[in-house]
Structures are given as C-alpha cells and as structure tokens.
C-alpha cells in the first residue's frame, strides 16, 4: 500500500466507526476450488460474531465520506469541514484482498456517503462486491449498506454478491427525521427494505425447485436507529422494531446511542456522553421481543413509556406482575418458565427436558445456567423456597437486586486492581 491509500484508509475507517450494525451472523459460505477464503456461520478492523459464535474480524470502511446530504447528526454531513477521501473501486478491492492475505480480516463491512445520487453510489458499492466475488473469487463475508433511494435493479444485484444487506432507518419517526435530515424520508428507506425482502423470498422459493439457483443475501437484512438524538420514547422505538421483525428477513435492529459530533447544531440535544445504559436496555428489550415471546406493550406502556435504567426489562416486568409468580419449575410450561428473571432460553429448555427424569432443585437449576440470585424470588422447586416476591414485595426484591453502588475512589491515591471484583455483563436473565 502506498502512502496515499494509507491516508485514505485512516480517514474512511474513522468515518465508518459510528455505524454499529456490522454483525456477521446468519450466513455460511464455503470455499470453492480456486477461490479465496470462506465464511463460517489494525485500522478499521471491527470484531463481530458468526452464526456459530466465533469472533471474526471485518474491515469496516466507507467507500467515500463525501456526502450530498446535510443530516444534523452525521459527522460526514456536507457542511462539516473534515478531512475527506474517496477510494476507487479497484483500490478498495485490492485493499480488502491484501488485508485478507495478511490474515488481518475475514470479511468486509462496506458503507458510503451519497455522492451525485443514490444510484451512482449504489452502483459503485455493487461493483466492489462483484469484483471480489467474480474476479478474485473471494468467499469471505460481505455486508453492504444499501443506499436509501437506490433503484430496485441495483439492490437486487447487490443481493447476489453480499451476504447481508442493510438500510439504516436512523431516526425512528418520519417527523423527527424531517427535522434533522430534511432531504430524507422513510419511504426511501422502506422501499429498499422491501426489495431485499422480495429478493430473498423469491430466490428461496426458486432454490426449492432449482438446485443451482444463486443465493440472495443469505444473512438477511438489518437496520439501525439512533437513540437519544430526538425525543422518541423507548415505546416508540420498540414499536418500530416490532413492526420490522414481523418481516421474516429482518434479522437485527441495532440501537446506536447518540454521540454529539456536531455540537454547534441547535436542533440536537446537548449530551455530555452517549446514552449507553439506555442503549443497553433497548438491546435487552429487543431480545425479549425476539426470543422470549414478549410484546411491546408488556415491556413498556403509556404509563411507563421508557425502560427502567436501573434494572433489566425482564426483571422490571416481573416486579410489575407479582400475580404471575411464583412459577413452579416442576409443572409450569416452557412459556411461563421463560418469564422468570434469571432463566434464559437455554436454561428453560433444559428444565423442561430434565424434569421428566427427576425433580429439580436449586443445585440442578444452577448447573443448568439459571442465575439463582434473581430466579429464587420468583420460583418454587424441589426445595422449600426462600422468601418470594409475595413475602418481600416488589420494592423489597428490587432493593435486594439493585447493584451495590461503587465507592468513590480518590483518583489522587494509588490503587491496585487484583481482578477479584469482576462484574458480569448485564443480561436479560
């Protein structure tokens, strides 16, 4: 790589870092004879997870950070005075192959600012994926960001070469999108989503009859919403996500806590730091929608339109509905066990399968992966239960399960971390 390409690489990977929807799960692409790389289930390298749980590295980059739009929340808006760069199709293809040969990456996550018009930009993105697949026989993972407003023909062609396609919704409601990005509208986003969905379903149907029908975006599609830039409630955001998940090809909705990159724009809120806790709670609520059979109005309602930032959404629901508990582990159905805080999908399945052979106690539940610190207040099992939510009350259980606040450390003093106070990452369980 020459110095000019390296400089472009620095600029374009920096510009791409705000897009979080780069997971690579949901697809498998085997190597072929004479091909390069495969997909199993430095600068610009991000880590994602494949379908089998393996951590893989992607080159996360933009084709160009020039853009004709002036979106208030975007670092690459046309009115910003920032370093700009554009990679040619050939430069980006060679860069990807060079990184792969050096074992830096296993795939590509490619987005772009919009130059000239959506079709011109989308055509260049498609050429990158096409050259990688057909010229260099690259079989690694490719995630392309479809450009809002791009034509159906280009979106359909992109699906033949990319493993996953995505179109960012950005702002959950049309009204607030118009406020911050007057040149954009939701229709230009939903149309490419529709083209992707139709393409996936058409090719899946054809593969049932014709064995060698090419695959179309086998990893499905995803989208991303910015959280905190506009006044939508968590209920508004989750309702949009729920409607998107009704389509079978929508694999993930990503939530990106708003980062104040354009502090001079008075349309934007002034935040000292991104709303990371709220972002995390939305991801937990998203999992409840996708895997725990919850509905939006069970997680948030008109009285409480925003998620509780102190406790996870599943625990919050349980504390609001003490009448549902305690759940008898020996007799309750799978759906009821899933509602117990501290018991996840895998643990619930093990419980239902194991109780046919023996009675289950606290020890067995812990071995199955249940978080008994939470679950013990909401269940009955082989042993006599401790005090449940009915004896302690919702407030009492909440108080017991709230994390202990950390003591303030005088930063002027020297301290040592011996690694014995590690905290578990927050989960729904």
């Amino acid at each position: 790589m020459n110095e000019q390409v390296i400089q472009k690489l620095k600029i374009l990977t920096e510009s791409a870092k705000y897009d979080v929807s780069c997971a690579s799960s949901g697809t498998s692409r085997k190597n072929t004879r004479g091909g390069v790389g495969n997909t199993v289930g430095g600068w610009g390298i991000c880590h994602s997870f494949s379908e089998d749980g393996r951590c893989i590295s992607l080159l996360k980059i933009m084709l160009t950070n020039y853009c004709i739009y002036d979106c208030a929340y975007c670092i690459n808006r046309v009115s910003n005075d920032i370093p700009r760069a554009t990679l040619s199709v050939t430069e980006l293809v060679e860069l990807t192959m060079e990184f792969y040969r050096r074992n830096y990456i296993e795939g590509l996550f490619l987005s772009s600012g919009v130059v000239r018009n959506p079709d011109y930009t989308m055509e260049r993105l498609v050429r990158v994926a096409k050259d990688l697949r057909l010229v260099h026989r690259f079989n690694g993972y490719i995630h392309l960001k479809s450009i809002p407003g791009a034509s159906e023909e280009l979106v359909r062609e992109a699906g033949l070469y990319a493993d996953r396609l995505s179109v960012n919704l950005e702002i959950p409601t049309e009204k607030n999108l118009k406020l911050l990005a007057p040149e954009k509208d939701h229709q230009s986003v939903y149309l490419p989503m529709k083209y992707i969905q139709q393409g996936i379903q058409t090719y899946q149907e054809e593969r049932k009859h014709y064995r060698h029908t090419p695959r179309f975006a086998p990893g499905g599609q995803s989208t991303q919403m910015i959280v905190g830039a506009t006044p939508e409630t968590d209920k508004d955001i989750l309702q949009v996500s729920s409607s998107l998940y009704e389509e079978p090809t929508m694999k993930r909705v990503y939530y990106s806590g708003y980062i104040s990159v354009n502090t001079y724009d008075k349309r934007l809120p002034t935040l000292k730091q991104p709303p990371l806790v709220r972002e995390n709670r939305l991801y937990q609520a998203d999992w409840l929608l996708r895997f725990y059979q919850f509905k939006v109005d069970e997680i948030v309602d008109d009285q409480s339109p925003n998620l509780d930032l102190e406790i996870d959404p599943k625990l919050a629901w349980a504390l609001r509905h003490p009448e549902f508990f305690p759940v008898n582990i020996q007799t309750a159905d799978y759906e009821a066990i899933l509602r117990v805080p501290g018991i996840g999908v895998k643990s619930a399945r093990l419980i239902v399968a194991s109780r046919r052979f023996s009675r289950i106690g606290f020890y067995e539940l812990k071995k199955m992966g249940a978080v008994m610190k939470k679950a013990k207040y909401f269940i009955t099992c082989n042993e006599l239960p401790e005090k449940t939510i009915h004896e302690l009350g919702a407030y009492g259980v909440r108080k017991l399960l709230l994390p202990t606040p950390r003591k303030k450390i005088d930063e002027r003093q020297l301290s040592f971390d011996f690694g014995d106070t590690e905290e578990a990452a927050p989960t729904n369980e």
Side-chain angles (χ1 to χ4, degrees):
M1 291 184 290
N2 59 45
E3 188 62 34
Q4 185 180 14
V5 173
I6 291 176
Q7 187 61 33
K8 289 181 180 180
L9 176 65
K10 291 179 181 179
I11 294 171
L12 295 172
T13 53
E14 177 71 16
S15 296
K17 71 180 183 181
Y18 298 101
D19 199 326
V20 300
S21 55
C22 58
S24 58
S25 59
T27 183
S28 177
R29 186 184 295 271
K30 294 181 180 179
N31 196 358
T32 56
R33 188 172 183 179
V36 177
N38 64 78
T39 303
V40 181
W43 289 309
I45 298 176
C46 66
H47 295 93
S48 299
F49 293 89
S50 63
E51 190 174 20
D52 61 358
R54 188 172 62 89
C55 181
I56 67 172
S57 300
L58 302 177
L59 172 60
K60 184 176 181 181
I61 195 170
M62 297 183 74
L63 189 64
T64 178
N65 65 345
Y66 285 96
C67 191
I68 61 174
Y69 297 137
D70 198 28
C71 305
Y73 46 81
C74 184
I75 188 65
N76 300 311
R77 60 189 296 186
V78 66
S79 59
N80 271 358
D81 183 16
I82 60 171
R84 305 280 182 174
T86 300
L87 284 168
S88 69
V89 171
T90 302
E91 284 175 333
L92 185 50
V93 169
E94 291 178 351
L95 192 65
T96 304
M97 294 307 300
E98 190 66 26
F99 270 44
Y100 181 82
R101 291 189 185 101
R102 296 183 183 189
N103 203 29
Y104 293 164
I105 62 168
E106 297 172 81
L108 173 67
F109 176 88
L110 180 60
S111 60
S112 179
V114 181
V115 289
R116 296 193 186 179
N117 57 65
D119 275 355
Y120 175 81
T121 308
M122 189 67 195
E123 189 270 337
R124 296 180 71 207
L125 293 175
V126 173
R127 280 175 55 200
V128 171
K130 186 175 182 179
D131 283 3
L132 283 170
R133 294 293 190 216
L134 302 185
V135 178
H136 294 274
R137 308 288 297 276
F138 179 69
N139 293 301
Y141 180 81
I142 298 179
H143 182 154
L144 286 186
K145 302 295 294 187
S146 183
I147 303 299
S151 66
E152 181 176 1
E153 292 76 15
L154 286 170
V155 174
R156 290 292 185 96
E157 187 178 9
L160 296 175
Y161 306 112
D163 293 287
R164 175 171 285 186
L165 293 172
S166 58
V167 197
N168 282 354
L169 194 59
E170 295 176 349
I171 303 298
T173 59
E174 176 102 21
K175 175 184 175 182
N176 287 325
L177 179 65
K178 282 292 186 183
L179 176 66
L180 299 184
E183 303 100 331
K184 293 184 177 180
D185 58 69
H186 275 180
Q187 182 67 12
S188 65
V189 176
Y190 285 123
L191 267 179
M193 285 184 180
K194 182 180 178 182
Y195 299 151
I196 296 167
Q197 177 192 340
Q198 291 173 342
I200 292 173
Q201 293 174 336
T202 299
Y203 278 83
Q204 283 177 343
E205 189 63 31
E206 288 185 6
R207 282 181 70 86
K208 295 177 182 178
H209 305 285
Y210 305 101
R211 179 181 173 186
H212 296 292
T213 299
R215 297 187 301 172
F216 184 95
Q221 61 175 315
S222 60
T223 190
Q224 174 178 309
M225 287 186 279
I226 300 171
V227 177
T230 47
E232 287 94 358
T233 64
D234 293 336
K235 182 182 178 183
D236 297 330
I237 294 171
L238 290 172
Q239 282 179 332
V240 173
S241 299
S242 180
S243 65
L244 291 171
Y245 283 135
E246 290 176 3
E247 304 298 339
T249 61
M250 180 59 67
K251 299 302 182 183
R252 286 291 302 273
V253 176
Y254 291 85
Y255 309 96
S256 176
Y258 167 67
I259 301 173
S260 298
V261 292
N262 300 320
T263 53
Y264 60 85
D265 197 313
K266 301 305 180 184
R267 293 172 292 175
L268 296 167
T270 304
L271 300 178
K272 292 182 179 179
Q273 59 184 16
L276 298 180
V277 177
R278 184 185 180 194
E279 176 188 311
N280 184 45
R281 295 295 178 224
L282 282 167
Y283 275 114
Q284 291 174 329
D286 188 272
W287 275 64
L288 294 183
L289 294 176
R290 295 164 61 209
F291 302 115
Y292 288 79
Q293 303 174 14
F294 278 74
K295 304 296 183 185
V296 173
D297 55 6
E298 293 180 295
I299 303 170
V300 283
D301 53 32
D302 292 333
Q303 287 72 38
S304 303
N306 290 309
L307 297 167
D308 193 322
L309 298 183
E310 291 186 328
I311 57 176
D312 69 76
K314 190 177 179 185
L315 177 58
W317 178 86
L319 295 179
R320 291 197 304 269
H321 296 86
E323 72 281 357
F324 188 82
F325 303 99
V327 170
N328 190 328
I329 292 298
Q330 311 297 340
T331 59
D333 58 22
Y334 172 74
E335 289 74 18
I337 295 173
L338 265 186
R339 298 264 167 160
V340 176
I343 296 181
V345 173
K346 184 178 179 181
S347 300
R349 288 174 179 166
L350 284 172
I351 290 167
V352 173
S354 303
R355 67 188 181 185
R356 294 179 296 170
F357 306 103
S358 63
R359 295 185 66 79
I360 298 174
F362 274 41
Y363 174 76
E364 288 79 14
L365 287 171
K366 197 169 183 180
K367 292 286 285 184
M368 292 178 192
V371 182
M372 296 309 295
K373 178 182 176 180
K374 289 183 182 180
K376 63 184 180 181
Y377 302 113
F378 303 94
I379 62 170
T380 58
C381 58
N382 196 27
E383 289 95 347
L384 289 174
E386 298 184 23
K387 290 182 179 180
T388 67
I389 187 173
H390 292 293
E391 287 78 34
L392 295 169
Y395 178 76
V397 174
R398 179 189 178 95
K399 190 175 179 181
L400 288 169
L401 293 179
L402 278 178
T404 305
R406 291 184 176 184
K407 293 181 180 179
K408 290 186 178 180
I409 300 174
D410 187 347
E411 295 180 352
R412 295 172 299 176
Q413 303 297 320
L414 181 64
S415 62
F416 295 91
D417 182 5
F418 293 100
D420 56 352
T421 57
E422 182 178 348
E423 292 187 351
T427 65
N428 282 322
E429 300 181 2

